Amino acid sequence: SYNTIVDSEFKAGRRTLLLVEDNITMINFLLQKLSIVYNVFCARNGAEALKKLHEITVIPDLILSDVMMDKMDGFAFARKLAEQERYCHIPLIFLTAKSTQADKLKGLKLGAMDFISKPFSFEELSQKIETLLDNISKQQKAILSTSIAHLQTLKNLEVDGPPASPSKFEENCKLLQFTAREIEIARLIIKG
């Protein structure tokens, strides 16, 4: 029916967005446009978005959220996200019809990367998403290569520590907050 929203078909190798918006027409419009390039998951308010985050197996690269929504508005949603270790790093862009200076400030304080005022041009939104994701991926690469260089200089790296005690390597990876995939890469690099 018109009122149901369906996530885009998931394609490996694409970046993933979570779209939180209570206006069905807007969701369907953005879904249609964004799913050409990204995997897009949808939710109609903050509460639904939190539930969705726990259901999906991937962690979105970016969240686009409306500010004014029933059940849980964008600001309350951002606050909830910030409390969850698994999701607090996800960049957030607010889409909003009301963007007073005070609102913007509030959103930025809650960790939003950007504010896009409705009505907006899709080109502007699309460009902002792309720039943000590119910057993040550059940062991640920089952090990863610095961390790997750092790991390689640590003399006391036991790649295979005794099974009972977590190895120095694992401790270091935890310290650097590596993802499982980064740990794998680091391990391979150290083993040569």
Side-chain angles (χ1 to χ4, degrees):
S1 79
Y2 172 70
N3 275 338
T4 53
I5 45 173
V6 183
D7 299 324
S8 72
E9 183 194 341
F10 191 84
K11 296 183 179 157
R14 285 184 164 200
R15 295 195 274 202
T16 301
L17 309 180
L18 173 63
L19 180 58
V20 192
E21 163 70 69
D22 61 359
N23 180 319
I24 294 282
T25 315
M26 176 67 94
I27 275 202
N28 285 328
F29 166 72
L30 288 176
L31 187 60
Q32 189 192 344
K33 295 270 212 182
L34 292 168
S35 62
I36 297 168
V37 186
Y38 306 105
N39 292 315
V40 187
F41 289 101
C42 307
R44 290 166 67 175
N45 57 56
E48 210 177 280
L50 290 170
K51 202 171 143 251
K52 188 113 216 196
L53 279 172
H54 292 289
E55 285 167 5
I56 59 182
T57 50
V58 289
I59 291 181
D61 296 288
L62 177 73
I63 296 174
L64 285 177
S65 175
D66 190 13
V67 173
M68 310 272 289
M69 295 177 289
D70 290 341
K71 293 197 183 121
M72 187 189 289
D73 72 5
F75 289 154
F77 171 55
R79 256 183 229 107
K80 281 265 186 253
L81 271 184
E83 292 163 8
Q84 305 198 28
E85 201 180 322
R86 195 175 163 175
Y87 308 119
C88 60
H89 69 281
I90 307 173
L92 186 71
I93 293 180
F94 278 126
L95 304 173
T96 176
K98 65 164 215 173
S99 55
T100 63
Q101 216 36 51
D103 278 329
K104 275 195 174 159
L105 207 56
K106 188 174 170 184
L108 294 169
K109 277 185 180 155
L110 285 172
M113 294 281 182
D114 215 332
F115 258 84
I116 295 180
S117 304
K118 291 177 180 177
F120 52 81
S121 84
F122 179 74
E123 282 63 35
E124 180 199 1
L125 175 65
S126 172
Q127 190 52 63
K128 283 192 170 177
I129 292 173
E130 208 175 308
T131 304
L132 193 61
L133 290 175
D134 286 347
N135 287 343
I136 289 165
S137 116
K138 277 181 200 146
Q139 277 173 344
Q140 282 171 338
K141 281 190 185 121
I143 290 168
L144 190 57
S145 56
T146 314
S147 305
I148 287 168
H150 183 63
L151 280 173
Q152 281 180 313
T153 56
L154 292 170
K155 297 277 184 285
N156 49 4
L157 263 182
E158 294 299 321
V159 176
D160 306 300
S165 71
S167 67
K168 194 80 189 147
F169 172 79
E170 274 155 23
E171 277 171 43
N172 287 326
C173 288
K174 258 206 188 79
L175 210 73
L176 297 162
Q177 293 184 317
F178 273 17
T179 64
R181 190 162 164 225
E182 287 167 345
I183 291 173
E184 215 29 60
I185 296 168
R187 185 164 276 157
L188 290 172
I189 288 171
I190 289 156
K191 284 187 167 163

